[in-house]
Amino acid sequence: MSKRVGILTTGGDCSGLNSVIRSAYLRATALGYTLVGIRRGFRGLASNDVSHPDYIELNETICDEDMLIKSGSILLSDTKWMSSEIQKGRTVDDVKHSIIDGYRQLSLDSLICVGGDGSLKLLNELTADCDELNVVFVPKTIDNDVNYTDYAVGFRTSVEVAVEAIENIRSTAKSHERTMVVEVMGRDAGFIALYAGLASGADIILVPEFKYDIAKINDKIRGNFQNGKNYCIIVVAESVEAEDFKHSEREVDGVVKYTHISYKGIGHYLSQKIKKAGFECRSVTLGHIQRGGETCVSDRLIGTLFGVEAINLISNGIFGKMLAFFDNKLRIIDIREVVKNVNATLKMDDKYINVARDLGVYIGEF
Ligand code: F6P
């Protein structure tokens, strides 16, 4: 039976989103379904805004092979819509009705939502006690902080981009015999810092999960110089706190529960401390370059897998699920289950933490 399926991307963008859209389109077409691309995430689906629902009918020309490579989302994305709706005085119920209206106006049978932890929580809230929205969730985030999956779409490209940047920084660190502090993204999880730091041979990796001692950082730098390695690379995750473990500068935007936090300044803060100890030091913040770049093969593959399987779930009438990938297997997990414990962070016994320690990388927790 023919179906009309919607797809939207929501939250911070990343590489691999277009791979999901393309493969969902191809699989949907093979089954005789129509895939409707909803623009600007939930904002585009909600019918109360001017000229909404905001959508495009996907076709073969749009969903060509270049979609595997291109970062960003051809459907655009949005991070602040829910917060701005609440700020306008609308309730969660009002918002829910707008979403259901949009879904009806587009005559959708089901919806694929490609998002991160925040979007999953929101989706769960919007679909609570609602039988009408048939949703399948695909996890994407450069932060890799969604539980129940080893990898979210976009994480591995961001690590590749960070590694390439750190390698460029290493050559100048060597020439000038300096310490370079490289601040990477990752929100409240240290996955990007750990994976990129380890893959680029960093001497020190600081993650929000583990406390650190500035004296140990300086000892490590000193040790490098004493051993003839006249430079030092430090990779620090953006949400690592200042030495007194009070949060370094953050910009909080939006309303309670739907706030958006931007982290700033830990790289600069650390470089100041290191300079005070007598070392030449500079800091670099990689920032949003980690959200772009050519999509790496792993993200193309996982994006393609999730896109196809999302349509397969829909064709089997299975809804309310998140696609996941762990222990080398595709998994299908209840969204209600995931939201109970959605945020993944690094654990002390993570294999790469142990590897870093065994290599003599300083990774904190004193
Ligand atoms: O969640 C993805 C992410 O890139 C985080 O790593 C970062 O803290 C945040 O989004 C930045 O958000 P924005 O693009 O709104 O500044």
Side-chain angles (χ1 to χ4, degrees):
M1 202 180 73
S2 173
K3 288 185 193 296
R4 228 172 123 76
V5 180
I7 185 166
L8 59 82
T9 53
T10 168
D13 72 341
C14 61
S15 292
L17 296 174
N18 293 327
S19 299
V20 180
I21 297 165
R22 171 181 178 268
S23 65
Y25 168 76
L26 293 176
R27 183 65 186 140
T29 307
L31 293 174
Y33 302 168
T34 301
L35 190 67
V36 180
I38 294 145
R39 292 168 17 110
R40 303 188 171 85
F42 290 116
R43 181 189 292 278
L45 181 58
S47 64
N48 63 310
D49 281 5
V50 185
S51 80
H52 283 239
D54 182 3
Y55 70 99
I56 47 173
E57 302 269 349
L58 294 168
N59 61 41
E60 221 161 292
T61 315
I62 297 172
C63 294
D64 66 4
E65 295 74 20
D66 287 346
M67 292 273 278
L68 288 164
I69 305 162
K70 274 190 230 157
S71 280
S73 169
I74 59 150
L75 295 177
L76 314 178
S77 197
D78 180 87
T79 48
K80 294 187 179 166
W81 176 67
M82 188 62 183
S83 184
S84 64
E85 290 299 287
I86 301 290
Q87 269 166 336
K88 278 186 217 155
R90 303 190 74 221
T91 64
V92 173
D93 265 351
D94 296 335
V95 171
K96 204 169 169 172
H97 287 130
S98 302
I99 296 277
I100 294 172
D101 270 0
Y103 186 88
R104 283 185 189 148
Q105 277 185 39
L106 289 175
S107 311
L108 299 180
D109 302 292
S110 47
L111 175 69
I112 301 169
C113 173
V114 190
D117 60 324
S119 313
L120 185 68
K121 286 183 227 163
L122 178 59
L123 185 69
N124 185 51
E125 210 174 331
L126 295 176
T127 56
D129 312 316
C130 165
D131 295 334
E132 196 171 341
L133 300 178
N134 295 324
V135 295
V136 172
F137 189 81
V138 172
K140 66 82 216 169
T141 164
I142 66 163
D143 307 329
N144 212 34
D145 58 353
V146 177
N147 250 325
Y148 299 95
T149 187
D150 286 342
Y151 298 108
V153 175
F155 168 63
R156 285 180 286 190
T157 303
S158 73
V159 170
E160 299 268 347
V161 170
V163 167
E164 198 184 329
I166 297 165
E167 281 165 2
N168 293 341
I169 289 163
R170 190 168 58 226
S171 60
T172 171
K174 271 186 177 176
S175 309
H176 290 272
E177 301 182 285
R178 275 176 180 160
T179 293
M180 296 293 296
V181 181
V182 187
E183 182 182 319
V184 297
M185 282 187 165
R187 209 168 276 280
D188 297 312
F191 292 103
I192 299 180
L194 177 64
Y195 281 59
L198 205 50
S200 61
D203 303 281
I204 298 172
I205 300 171
L206 302 175
V207 294
E209 292 86 346
F210 309 140
K211 293 187 171 179
Y212 61 90
D213 181 354
I214 196 84
K216 292 260 173 65
I217 293 176
N218 289 330
D219 286 349
K220 177 78 185 165
I221 300 171
R222 198 169 297 111
N224 275 12
F225 280 84
Q226 279 163 356
N227 296 329
K229 180 177 179 178
N230 289 351
Y231 66 95
C232 184
I233 301 290
I234 303 178
V235 176
V236 58
E238 60 180 354
S239 66
V240 163
E241 295 176 10
E243 201 190 0
D244 54 6
F245 302 108
K246 298 223 174 67
H247 288 301
S248 47
E249 209 187 317
R250 317 184 146 191
E251 238 174 52
V252 182
D253 212 0
V255 292
V256 180
K257 195 166 164 206
Y258 304 106
T259 48
H260 182 76
I261 300 173
S262 306
Y263 300 98
K264 283 197 181 62
I266 187 64
H268 177 69
Y269 167 88
L270 285 173
S271 75
Q272 296 303 106
K273 288 274 170 191
I274 293 165
K275 276 182 189 165
K276 269 202 186 130
F279 302 107
E280 254 245 85
C281 187
R282 299 285 188 276
S283 67
V284 178
T285 301
L286 297 190
H288 289 80
I289 67 161
Q290 294 156 98
R291 299 234 296 242
E294 201 167 274
T295 306
C296 74
V297 171
S298 308
D299 278 331
R300 294 182 203 188
L301 289 174
I302 200 168
T304 300
L305 174 74
F306 283 169
V308 166
E309 293 300 337
I311 295 291
N312 286 344
L313 284 186
I314 288 167
S315 77
N316 289 317
I318 301 171
F319 304 112
K321 306 289 178 191
M322 179 182 96
L323 289 165
F325 191 79
F326 67 83
D327 280 351
N328 224 18
K329 284 200 178 69
L330 177 81
R331 314 276 176 160
I332 294 155
I333 307 174
D334 212 282
I335 289 174
R336 306 253 180 272
E337 208 41 51
V338 184
V339 286
K340 282 185 199 158
N341 185 18
V342 63
N343 287 107
T345 51
L346 285 170
K347 306 286 173 300
M348 259 304 181
D349 61 353
D350 186 295
K351 59 181 181 300
Y352 289 126
I353 297 280
N354 294 330
V355 169
R357 289 221 164 94
D358 288 348
L359 289 175
V361 173
Y362 178 65
I363 195 154
E365 209 65 27
F366 306 106

